[in-house]
Amino acid sequence: RVMGKRKKRDRDNKRAAEINPDGRMLTWLNSCVHCGLCGPSCLFWLASGGDPKMVPGRKVDLVASLYRRQHTIAGKFFPWLTGAGDLSDEKKAEMVDLLYGACSMCGRCSLHCSIGINVAEVVRRGRTILSDEGEVPETLNKTVRAAMEKWNNMAIPVEELTETLEWLEEDLQLELNDNTARIPLNESGKRVIYTLNPREPKFFPLSITAMAKIFHLAGESWTLSTKMYDITNYAFFSGNNSETAEIVKRLSDEAVTLGAELVVLAECGHGSRVFRWEGPNYLGKSYPFDVETSVELIKRYLDEGKIKPDKSKNRKRVTLHDPCNLARSGGIIGQQRDIIESVVTDFVEMSPHGADNFCCGGGGGQLSMSEYNERRMSAGKIKADQIEATGAEIVVTPCHNCVDQLLQITQAYKLKVKIVTMAEIVAEAL
């Protein structure tokens, strides 16, 4: 019986092999001093009324306990002294609930950590372990499977996408009274290949028209691929590294096939982060093309005088929600504000904002995990209060995940505001 228990323990520990840390992870797993400063920075902790299990440091502890059990002498022989633990069924259930269901991987706790632990990265390492164990919430897994099988996370058929883009092109020509305005599809040799969040052709087609209008007035050489256009990468949230890499590779290969010089990433925070900043690490090589977000491209168009907005067309009070993966993780903060200041007459900031802004609650795959809807919407109250305090009539955010969450927040908390993308507020002023 003793030998049987030891063998089971060894099997459980082998399951935690993914926790084998590099230097940074080793530092983070050994550094938490349980000061509690990360608690007030977390929207889930705040929404829970200070529930101790919602402290981000607790999530770090869950992952660190597996490391200590497998890699430290004290953890192997005296686990009760070090908080070490095996990957038991009970541990997996707690990890799923807290790492998936109570974390948007927004990184705000990392910003406030007294010793600089990257909590979001530790959480993702924990999700990778759970993914290897087949413990990803089915609703999130379903989204990933759609992307892997149909090449977009909403499983939109190519025919449906093409028809949508064709009538959007007709609409654009009518709006501009210009038959040369186009949404070019699958054209080789264009300077730019543009991407989409599949929610755009499905639910928010006007955001595509807005960006096409900007491209046309800027005189850009661009195209869209109907084969691989999905900038989202929910495998990054599920923790499946091989699927994350495959989605990155598909978009990279399509850009090479069409001969684009520049990949412009649609308004999707996590998709931009994964493809632009994380992607080369997953592929193990640099891209043979340049990459930038649509926010950066619009800013450059403004700086170069390629588009000339009339801010008097946007007279309502506007505020900005900073997507976590663009602002906190990507450093795209000032560009957003420069654009808005150029296209509206009345801009007011949320408090806090920029790198310190609160997550809307929809990141980390939260929007796709319906089993945690109640918790997600409760956490969204923080963002609702932020918006209401500004007195704004319009909220701009350059991320479609954020758009979805903010729309649900405005309905749940009865906010009288309109949610728009960056491209839409810019196009309105052209």
Side-chain angles (χ1 to χ4, degrees):
R1 286 197 300 271
V2 171
M3 290 302 294
K5 288 181 179 179
R6 286 181 177 175
K7 286 180 180 179
K8 182 180 185 302
R9 184 197 71 192
D10 289 342
R11 285 197 303 270
D12 288 340
N13 282 336
K14 285 179 181 178
R15 289 175 180 174
E18 277 292 339
I19 203 60
N20 284 333
D22 55 26
R24 292 183 307 161
M25 186 62 64
L26 184 64
T27 300
W28 297 330
L29 294 175
N30 283 289
S31 295
C32 183
V33 294
H34 304 94
C35 66
L37 289 177
C38 55
S41 68
C42 174
L43 68 162
F44 290 97
W45 182 87
L46 292 169
S48 72
D51 186 342
K53 76 175 184 179
M54 293 293 178
V55 174
R58 171 59 184 158
K59 298 159 191 174
V60 174
D61 270 352
L62 284 171
V63 182
S65 70
L66 301 177
Y67 160 75
R68 288 192 290 266
R69 183 67 166 130
Q70 185 175 6
H71 292 284
T72 69
I73 293 175
K76 288 179 179 179
F77 294 100
F78 311 103
W80 60 90
L81 293 177
T82 64
D86 295 323
L87 193 59
S88 63
D89 290 341
E90 293 79 9
K91 174 65 71 65
K92 284 190 287 188
E94 185 179 11
M95 289 176 69
V96 168
D97 183 58
L98 294 181
L99 302 189
Y100 286 110
C103 182
S104 63
M105 296 169 62
C106 76
R108 193 170 189 268
C109 54
S110 304
L111 191 71
H112 290 244
C113 177
S114 60
I115 48 180
I117 297 172
N118 189 332
V119 180
E121 193 60 34
V122 175
V123 166
R124 189 178 185 279
R125 187 65 65 96
R127 289 189 179 193
T128 298
I129 296 170
L130 293 168
S131 176
D132 290 344
E133 286 291 297
E135 296 290 339
V136 179
E138 179 54 27
T139 46
L140 176 56
N141 221 17
K142 183 178 179 181
T143 303
V144 178
R145 284 202 305 270
M148 294 301 295
E149 295 170 7
K150 303 297 183 180
W151 289 53
N152 70 87
N153 71 31
M154 301 204 72
I156 302 172
V158 173
E159 296 78 12
E160 181 183 330
L161 172 69
T162 303
E163 289 177 5
T164 299
L165 294 174
E166 286 174 348
W167 73 254
L168 286 176
E169 181 178 90
E170 294 175 4
D171 187 61
L172 177 66
Q173 291 173 350
L174 288 171
E175 179 186 348
L176 295 176
N177 193 25
D178 184 350
N179 289 333
T180 67
R182 299 184 58 226
I183 299 180
L185 304 180
N186 306 312
E187 296 187 6
S188 299
K190 299 296 185 179
R191 191 181 83 88
V192 167
I193 182 172
Y194 185 56
T195 59
L196 299 173
N197 184 314
R199 299 193 71 80
E200 293 180 84
K202 198 74 174 178
F203 302 116
F204 304 102
L206 293 182
S207 64
I208 302 175
T209 306
M211 197 64 204
K213 180 179 181 180
I214 293 169
F215 278 136
H216 178 70
L217 294 178
E220 188 60 84
S221 167
W222 72 289
T223 191
L224 263 171
S225 166
T226 57
K227 177 184 178 182
M228 181 57 193
Y229 58 88
D230 185 357
I231 186 52
T232 70
N233 196 324
Y234 279 86
F236 180 75
F237 291 145
S238 74
N240 189 309
N241 290 328
S242 62
E243 291 179 339
T244 302
E246 174 61 22
I247 293 171
V248 169
K249 182 177 182 299
R250 288 176 181 179
L251 181 54
S252 175
D253 287 349
E254 186 67 358
V256 171
T257 298
L258 292 177
E261 299 175 20
L262 174 66
V263 175
V264 175
L265 307 175
E267 299 186 41
C268 176
H270 86 271
S272 296
R273 172 184 174 175
V274 177
F275 189 80
R276 180 175 182 182
W277 293 292
E278 309 276 0
N281 296 325
Y282 282 104
L283 299 183
K285 60 181 180 180
S286 299
Y287 296 131
F289 45 75
D290 293 326
V291 183
E292 67 181 354
T293 65
S294 59
V295 172
E296 294 166 294
L297 182 72
I298 291 170
K299 174 66 164 66
R300 188 152 50 79
Y301 285 162
L302 287 167
D303 290 345
E304 295 173 358
K306 290 185 175 180
I307 55 175
K308 297 178 174 60
D310 176 3
K311 65 168 60 181
S312 68
K313 294 185 177 182
N314 289 318
R315 291 187 174 277
K316 293 181 178 179
R317 172 165 286 192
V318 173
T319 191
L320 170 69
H321 166 68
D322 293 273
C324 303
N325 284 295
L326 285 183
R328 197 153 32 241
S329 297
I332 299 177
I333 300 173
Q335 299 96 318
Q336 299 182 67
R337 286 154 175 81
D338 289 345
I339 293 170
I340 292 178
E341 292 281 9
S342 298
V343 299
V344 309
T345 59
D346 186 3
F347 172 51
V348 59
E349 292 277 17
M350 293 187 196
S351 180
H353 59 266
D356 197 33
N357 195 25
F358 274 106
C359 177
C360 63
Q366 291 294 327
L367 273 168
S368 67
M369 295 186 285
S370 57
E371 55 266 63
Y372 302 113
N373 278 353
E374 185 176 347
R375 189 182 283 170
R376 170 172 60 87
M377 293 309 297
S378 176
K381 178 67 163 58
I382 294 170
K383 181 56 59 177
D385 290 343
Q386 273 191 291
I387 293 171
E388 191 169 33
T390 65
E393 297 179 74
I394 297 174
V395 180
V396 176
T397 185
C399 173
H400 271 281
N401 274 15
C402 296
V403 167
D404 276 2
Q405 173 71 349
L406 292 174
L407 284 171
Q408 292 185 38
I409 287 173
T410 59
Q411 293 170 2
Y413 296 103
K414 297 179 172 51
L415 301 180
K416 296 179 179 179
V417 294
K418 182 179 181 181
I419 312 299
V420 301
T421 63
M422 187 69 76
E424 288 173 311
I425 197 74
V426 173
E428 193 67 28
L430 296 178

